[in-house]
Amino acid sequence: MPPETKYVYDFSEGNRDMKDLLGGKGANLAEMTNIGLPVPPGFTITTQACLAYLDGGGSPEGLPGEVDKHLGALEERMGKQLGDGDDPLLVSVRSGAKFSMPGMMDTVLNLGLNDRSVLGLATQSDDERFAWDSYRRFVQMFGKIVLGIEADRFEGRLEELKAGHGDEAKDTDLTAEDLLRLTEDFKAIVRQETSEEFPQDPRVQLEKAIAAVFESWNGDRAIAYRRQNKIPDSLGTAVNVVAMVFGNMGEGSGTGVAFTRDPSTGEKEPYGDYLENAQGEDVVAGIRNTLRLPELADIDAESYRRLREGMDVLERHYRDMCDIEFTIQRGRLWFLQTRVGKRTSFAEWVMAFDMVQEGLITNDEALLRLDPGRLDQLFKPVIRQDQKSSERPATKGLNASPGAAVGRVVFSADAAVEWAGRGERVILVRRETTPDDYHGMIRSQGILTSAGGTNSHAAVVARGEGIPAVCGADGIRLERGVSAFSVDGTRVGEGDWITIDGTDGAVYLSRLELSDPPLALAVQGDAEARGAKVWKAFEAFMARADEARRLRVRANADTPDQARNARARGAEGIGLCRTEHMFLGEERVAAVRTMIFADSAEEEERAYEALLPLQRADFVGIFEAMDGLPVTVRLLDPPLHEFLPNLVDLAVAVALAEERGGNEVVVRDERLPLEEARALLGRVEDLHETNPMLGLRGVRLGIVKPGLYAMQVRAIVEAACDRAEAGGDPVVEIMIPLVATREELRQMRDELEPAARAVLAERGIDLPVLFGTMIELPRAAAVAGQIAEVADFFSFGTNDLTQTAFGFSRDDIGKFLGMYEERRLVPANPFVTIDRPGVGRLMAMAADEGRAANPGLHLGICGEHGGDPASVEFCHQIGLDYVSCSPFRVETARLAAGQAALGETQQASV
């Protein structure tokens, strides 16, 4: 970095649009300062300084001088010197990245205290207990965060001291003498762990704290959070140095977190926690159970009134729900932080709807605020109503994150990961969680804590990740040193089943049944559910998304039930109907095997005749469910050996039967005479391929066994004719898979179109039948212009296209994907989100060249990416006509498609 780079900004120099440089916290502190809210003075060290520090292994040139200059200005403004022995200035050193990462990086409070300044603080505050409480907190935080000492070393000693005052003692029960002794004990821990004395020079303290916050950007929990939430590593964190205000200054002091609306339900009512005689980290850490925010009005009515005024100012200014941290110091209110608040998916829709009704934002602004990736959370399970009515909760806590969860109890994050890895559904139970528990929290079905409030670490993370959570369930007694807890004498150990309801805070010591949530019931037509505000919001915004979007949304559906479900969710056709599922079942497998083993054309034809009516019946129901909408049927794709027993299993079974002299072979519950099993083994060996995914499958199968595809086409067209004769309006599209050359598709069409025309002629029906192909091989994308000359449509099979472009197996990538994402070898799982530089470029090239060769060509996507919001946006950008996805992701795709269109319109108007 050049020496003239400005690394430090006073709060008065910034604004909320400078998040890239000042981080979210610094930019918002500057914004609150500029609009006149009471904010403690301070300055922000930029993200550029962080990146330069991390890149160079130390402070960049010019940074120490800028920090000294701004610290001097802060001292002058406050009329105090940092760490002065008579009247000390104390500061907090707080992290603040562009995107909120709650609890993932580090903060140090009360910096500037030492053995001299603590006496000055006691004199100036006229409160010796407060001064020593602040000093012990500083040594504890500095020791953990800056010096890297295990938190348990400090917390264990604190618990021992509290225990001396009784089993139910709180930190507020400790006397000034207790806290002085505790501070000395903490300094002794520092001496034991570092072989050095606790630093007494305030400037050294500040330098080390700034470095620790910079380095926390690359801490394990920060990296894990960024990976989970797709936040780039290249942003860095800013550091905010802020004059301390104290919520732990006795009566009339406290600290809290406030939301301008309820982040769980979205209702327009104040929501949050308040803790008397405490500092900010106490609310998050859950050291004491908090008060509900409205209870502040009973304690300090004037501070509550000013807080509500400030909340209203911030919500109107940001035009969104705000999350606010505040401190009251002896009756004086200070705003320490604000940001646009995180909220549940449920609350997100309710808030957006209400804000439009209030005239705070426009309908399109509201729509663009919705997160389509979280839409499925609106359909989260709830406890079945009959059980909810009959079962009595064992205890209750705070409804920290909505939704019900059932699982086996585990008591540590590592245990959650281990049990979940074995396929178990787990609920993580803790006194409270810390950022170090994050890896286990995201593997849990639910989270239950015995302490903490609705803004504790557990609650914030659970809401952000969409995990049901109950916090502050103080009826739970966790047993020290044992993986168990008890409620009113009932003991629950590791592995026992419990149920939690994050919507109302109930805890049940049994395995209850879950049912569809209200929004799912509303989709199914339930009248009461359709009266809820969230349903009204859902209807309004989905209608606007449908109006705005250009992309059509189809579904991948293989059965009539799936097709009906998809249509109820707003699907506009079927983009992929996989016929291989229609070959399963005893009667069908027998016919397929007859076809495989046929020694003559006549025998093979008899097999097709047996399969034809079975296939036709499947298609009739699908055409009926999708009447008037397109149905794209993919002809058989997988290799034939998938309809036969596994080679190794069969060979072993035959060998064992021969060794034992038996006359029967059993392979995976299928019983065969030994001679038949030997013959079957021979055919399986003949069909065995070293790499079947690149072997005899797709169009190659149709070429080798032309009667197979002809039978399928006849079944499809006959079913369509049946539907037409019943007064329906079938729309037929036939897709030939795995095409790599123009000639493959041309020759297949030459063979199959006569079969379709013959059926139509026989039935006297005029019905268009389109033929197209999946683009799922890199070569097909490269020669798409040629293939388009003989195609009516392309559908991108992005699952196989990703496999063949990367050379990854989607079945095996899990073995190394974590390492690839951790080392940033891939930006994200390419089987979840389209790889735009590689796979995406192939798609864009194929779309452009295909349309150039055939202007009437229809383009779609039918891989799993069709339900991924980022991939839907990309499909809009390259001009596809539709996406097709799982029926359960149809709403997600509709919303994402609407947002893509509106976002493009807004960019064009700028």
Side-chain angles (χ1 to χ4, degrees):
M1 291 287 181
E4 65 271 15
T5 299
K6 181 177 174 64
Y7 286 126
V8 185
Y9 288 75
D10 187 84
F11 290 165
S12 62
E13 298 177 287
N15 60 63
R16 66 177 176 179
D17 297 325
M18 298 174 68
K19 290 181 181 177
D20 284 325
L21 189 64
L22 304 181
K25 187 174 295 181
N28 288 324
L29 281 167
E31 190 74 12
M32 288 195 296
T33 299
N34 294 335
I35 64 175
L37 290 176
V39 176
F43 55 88
T44 300
I45 305 169
T46 66
T47 56
Q48 286 183 342
C50 172
L51 296 173
Y53 175 94
L54 296 174
D55 186 54
S59 290
E61 183 179 352
L63 177 59
E66 282 195 73
V67 171
D68 284 344
K69 175 184 173 183
H70 282 265
L71 179 61
L74 179 60
E75 289 176 327
E76 183 175 350
R77 180 173 179 181
M78 299 297 293
K80 300 180 180 185
Q81 300 293 309
L82 183 68
D84 181 73
D86 296 324
D87 187 10
L89 169 67
L90 304 181
V91 297
S92 63
V93 180
R94 300 172 180 265
S95 62
K98 176 181 179 180
F99 300 107
S100 176
M101 297 171 57
M104 298 302 139
M105 291 180 297
D106 292 328
T107 293
V108 178
L109 304 181
N110 307 329
L111 189 143
L113 281 172
N114 56 29
D115 293 349
R116 287 184 62 249
S117 60
V118 67
L119 303 178
L121 183 63
T123 301
Q124 291 298 322
S125 64
D126 194 26
D127 190 336
E128 189 177 8
R129 186 196 178 283
F130 153 71
W132 285 106
D133 183 47
S134 299
Y135 194 13
R136 72 90 184 166
R137 290 170 182 270
F138 174 51
V139 176
Q140 183 176 357
M141 296 181 78
F142 195 93
K144 175 190 172 186
I145 291 165
V146 180
L147 303 178
I149 300 170
E150 287 292 327
D152 287 347
R153 291 296 314 275
F154 300 107
E155 290 167 2
R157 181 67 191 104
L158 175 60
E159 291 298 318
E160 289 173 8
L161 197 58
K162 285 162 56 178
H165 288 264
D167 292 341
E168 301 297 322
K170 302 180 177 64
D171 59 317
T172 50
D173 295 320
L174 301 180
T175 66
E177 291 74 18
D178 291 329
L179 293 166
L180 187 157
R181 186 165 71 252
L182 186 61
T183 304
E184 293 302 319
D185 290 345
F186 282 0
K187 289 196 296 180
I189 291 171
V190 170
R191 192 180 311 117
Q192 293 164 10
E193 294 291 331
T194 67
S195 301
E196 295 181 2
E197 296 294 331
F198 184 80
Q200 296 290 304
D201 185 337
R203 299 288 175 134
V204 172
Q205 294 173 357
L206 181 60
E207 179 184 334
K208 288 180 176 292
I210 291 170
V213 173
F214 282 159
E215 290 166 6
S216 70
W217 178 253
N218 285 334
D220 290 343
R221 64 179 187 261
I223 291 172
Y225 186 90
R226 292 200 298 274
R227 187 179 308 128
Q228 177 75 12
N229 292 279
K230 305 295 185 291
I231 297 173
D233 290 335
S234 58
L235 299 179
T237 181
V239 178
N240 300 286
V241 179
V242 190
M244 281 295 304
V245 291
F246 300 95
N248 61 328
M249 203 177 267
E251 187 176 349
S253 300
T255 190
V257 177
F259 291 83
T260 57
R261 303 188 187 220
D262 189 321
S264 290
T265 67
E267 293 302 322
K268 189 177 182 180
E269 55 188 27
Y271 178 96
D273 298 317
Y274 182 71
L275 199 57
E276 293 182 275
N277 195 22
Q279 287 197 312
E281 79 276 11
D282 296 340
V283 177
V284 174
I287 66 164
R288 280 181 272 140
N289 284 346
T290 57
L291 301 174
R292 295 280 190 168
L293 187 66
E295 295 179 75
L296 175 59
D298 300 326
I299 300 167
D300 185 347
E302 178 59 21
S303 292
Y304 184 66
R305 183 189 65 78
R306 286 187 278 115
L307 174 64
R308 288 296 309 275
E309 287 177 353
M311 292 166 67
D312 290 342
V313 167
L314 286 169
E315 182 167 285
R316 289 195 303 270
H317 186 74
Y318 281 87
R319 300 170 66 242
D320 206 342
M321 184 268 279
C322 291
D323 168 0
I324 300 160
E325 293 181 16
F326 67 94
T327 284
I328 300 171
Q329 178 178 308
R330 290 182 173 172
R332 185 175 181 184
L333 173 69
W334 295 93
F335 288 85
L336 305 185
Q337 179 180 343
T338 193
R339 58 193 171 204
V340 171
K342 292 184 181 295
R343 63 208 73 181
T344 65
S345 182
F346 186 96
E348 180 176 78
W349 286 72
V350 171
M351 282 184 203
F353 183 77
D354 282 347
M355 288 179 182
V356 172
Q357 302 301 307
E358 295 162 18
L360 192 63
I361 57 177
T362 68
N363 199 37
D364 287 354
E365 284 177 308
L367 182 65
L368 288 169
R369 286 184 182 181
L370 302 173
D371 182 356
R374 298 202 306 164
L375 179 55
D376 62 341
Q377 292 179 24
L378 291 180
F379 298 85
K380 278 194 172 295
V382 295
I383 296 172
R384 214 173 67 193
Q385 190 55 48
D386 60 337
Q387 294 193 344
K388 187 76 173 173
S389 302
S390 61
E391 292 284 336
R392 185 172 181 177
T395 188
K396 292 197 77 170
L398 302 173
N399 52 331
S401 183
V406 180
R408 294 181 182 274
V409 170
V410 294
F411 291 89
S412 72
D414 289 342
V417 171
E418 178 186 345
W419 283 60
R422 301 201 301 260
E424 297 281 2
R425 300 168 66 85
V426 300
I427 292 179
L428 178 61
V429 180
R430 305 279 282 160
R431 184 178 185 275
E432 66 267 350
T433 64
T434 72
D436 295 328
D437 293 320
Y438 180 74
H439 64 294
M441 296 171 75
I442 60 176
R443 298 297 300 276
S444 303
Q445 300 297 312
I447 297 165
L448 171 63
T449 69
S450 62
T454 53
N455 290 291
S456 63
H457 176 265
V460 171
V461 171
R463 283 198 297 269
E465 302 296 347
I467 303 168
V470 174
C471 295
D474 54 11
I476 287 174
R477 293 288 179 264
L478 286 162
E479 299 179 15
R480 287 182 179 274
V482 179
S483 294
F485 72 84
S486 60
V487 180
D488 292 334
T490 301
R491 194 168 188 268
V492 179
E494 187 171 62
D496 290 341
W497 287 92
I498 66 171
T499 302
I500 65 170
D501 191 339
T503 303
D504 65 6
V507 179
Y508 303 84
L509 304 186
S510 58
R511 183 179 183 178
L512 302 184
E513 296 294 324
L514 304 184
S515 63
D516 289 338
L519 200 62
L521 295 173
V523 169
Q524 297 165 18
D526 183 273
E528 183 178 350
R530 285 179 174 244
K533 184 186 292 183
V534 69
W535 173 250
K536 294 176 182 177
F538 180 79
E539 282 194 306
F541 291 129
M542 293 305 295
R544 176 58 186 139
D546 289 339
E547 179 183 57
R549 63 186 167 90
R550 179 187 55 75
L551 275 174
R552 300 299 92 196
V553 177
R554 302 189 191 181
N556 301 340
D558 307 330
T559 68
D561 283 345
Q562 290 177 357
R564 282 188 285 271
N565 180 31
R567 187 161 192 163
R569 292 173 176 272
E572 297 159 302
I574 292 178
L576 175 63
C577 176
R578 291 161 286 222
T579 56
E580 52 265 30
H581 297 162
M582 301 175 182
F583 285 87
L584 302 178
E586 186 175 344
E587 183 181 3
R588 300 176 189 223
V589 168
V592 172
R593 288 185 181 176
T594 300
M595 179 263 293
I596 294 172
F597 298 152
D599 293 321
S600 66
E602 292 76 14
E603 191 176 356
E604 187 171 313
E605 187 60 34
R606 284 196 296 273
Y608 295 141
E609 288 174 0
L611 286 167
L612 177 62
L614 301 174
Q615 288 254 291
R616 181 177 58 236
D618 293 323
F619 293 127
V620 168
I622 291 172
F623 283 129
E624 181 179 359
M626 282 290 166
D627 198 56
L629 298 174
V631 174
T632 305
V633 181
R634 182 181 71 185
L635 302 182
L636 191 65
D637 185 36
L640 291 178
H641 75 80
E642 291 194 7
F643 300 98
L644 301 174
N646 176 272
L647 173 61
V648 174
D649 291 344
L650 183 57
V652 169
V654 169
L656 288 173
E658 290 175 338
E659 181 180 328
R660 295 168 181 167
N663 296 316
E664 189 178 60
V665 171
V666 180
V667 184
R668 295 191 177 180
D669 299 328
E670 185 176 0
R671 294 181 178 275
L672 299 170
L674 179 58
E675 285 306 313
E676 185 178 333
R678 285 175 177 148
L680 180 59
L681 177 60
R683 299 310 296 266
V684 171
E685 288 173 337
D686 291 341
L687 288 168
H688 179 71
E689 296 177 303
T690 303
N691 191 347
M693 293 309 294
L694 298 179
L696 183 59
R697 55 170 287 222
V699 67
R700 302 158 198 168
L701 188 59
I703 290 170
V704 171
K705 290 206 174 271
L708 175 61
Y709 275 10
M711 177 275 295
Q712 288 196 288
V713 168
R714 186 173 182 87
I716 293 165
V717 178
E718 285 184 359
C721 290
D722 288 349
R723 182 64 196 145
E725 289 174 349
D729 180 21
V731 182
V732 184
E733 299 179 352
I734 296 174
M735 185 156 63
I736 299 169
L738 213 69
V739 164
T741 72
R742 179 185 186 278
E743 277 303 293
E744 285 176 321
L745 183 58
R746 186 193 67 77
Q747 290 188 27
M748 274 285 91
R749 286 197 70 162
D750 286 350
E751 293 178 18
L752 299 177
E753 282 188 293
R757 286 196 296 269
V759 173
L760 294 172
E762 289 169 11
R763 305 287 287 270
I765 291 176
D766 183 15
L767 187 70
V769 178
L770 302 183
F771 283 86
T773 186
M774 293 182 79
I775 302 295
E776 50 191 328
L777 297 172
R779 189 185 192 281
V783 298
Q786 298 175 20
I787 297 173
E789 293 171 357
V790 292
D792 297 320
F793 64 88
F794 284 169
S795 181
F796 289 97
T798 49
N799 300 338
D800 271 355
L801 187 57
T802 299
Q803 285 198 111
T804 51
F806 272 99
F808 289 157
S809 165
R810 60 177 166 171
D811 297 322
D812 300 315
I813 192 175
K815 297 174 182 176
F816 58 85
L817 177 63
M819 179 181 291
Y820 263 57
E821 290 187 300
E822 182 177 342
R823 296 179 61 174
R824 301 296 181 188
L825 298 174
V826 291
N829 184 341
F831 291 102
V832 173
T833 298
I834 288 173
D835 162 55
R836 295 192 183 194
V839 175
R841 187 177 179 190
L842 290 172
M843 292 172 64
M845 177 176 63
D848 290 343
E849 295 186 9
R851 281 229 171 101
N854 180 356
L857 189 73
H858 293 288
L859 299 171
I861 176 178
C862 61
E864 287 301 312
H865 299 93
D868 170 63
S871 301
V872 171
E873 179 186 31
F874 177 71
C875 292
H876 171 88
Q877 291 171 353
I878 64 171
L880 300 194
D881 296 305
Y882 69 86
V883 296
S884 188
C885 59
S886 157
F888 292 98
R889 304 201 76 188
V890 166
E891 294 97 342
T892 296
R894 289 165 56 200
L895 178 59
Q899 289 180 331
L902 286 174
E904 184 178 73
T905 301
Q906 287 198 356
Q907 288 178 358
S909 64
V910 173

